[in-house]
Amino acid sequence: MDSPTPDVAAARAHASGADLRHRLDTATKAYEPPLAVVELDAWDANAADLVRRAAGVPIRVATKSVRCRDLLRDVLARDGYSGALTLTLSEALWLVATGVTDDAVVG
């Protein structure tokens, strides 16, 4: 089977993007923004790829990149991850007090 032309591929991507936007808007309409939607398969793949590229060096998660406690807990529970690099002392203390991590560095 031949690949679609670039114009057809772009039209399909736009249609699927518009459909995705509609589905996400519908699914989140009861929530007050700001909010985020995370594609968990991509999350898992990226987390695994970082561990592979770190080649045994523990990864400290920069909390400025991951602003959701549940996602921080998830990634810190994985092999290869160790601790959080936080923005402020109060954030570090809060993450430790709420049980997200027991290893937080302010940077």
Side-chain angles (χ1 to χ4, degrees):
M1 186 169 138
D2 292 331
S3 297
T5 66
D7 290 342
V8 171
R12 286 182 184 162
H14 177 72
S16 64
D19 179 57
L20 176 61
R21 175 63 188 255
H22 175 73
R23 289 185 293 128
L24 292 174
D25 285 346
T26 301
T28 60
K29 69 181 176 185
Y31 299 100
E32 195 65 33
L35 57 95
V37 177
V38 176
E39 208 287 87
L40 293 177
D41 289 338
W43 171 260
D44 292 338
N46 287 336
D49 188 51
L50 282 172
V51 170
R52 180 190 60 77
R53 290 186 289 148
V57 176
I59 300 165
R60 184 174 296 276
V61 179
T63 62
K64 72 178 183 178
S65 299
V66 182
R67 302 302 292 166
C68 171
R69 277 185 296 173
D70 289 335
L71 290 175
L72 282 171
R73 281 190 188 101
D74 174 80
V75 78
L76 290 172
R78 297 170 188 243
D79 290 338
Y81 289 86
S82 180
L85 173 64
T86 65
L87 295 170
T88 65
L89 178 58
S90 60
E91 180 187 22
L93 294 171
W94 180 75
L95 289 172
V96 170
T98 59
V100 174
T101 186
D102 61 357
D103 179 5
V105 174
V106 179

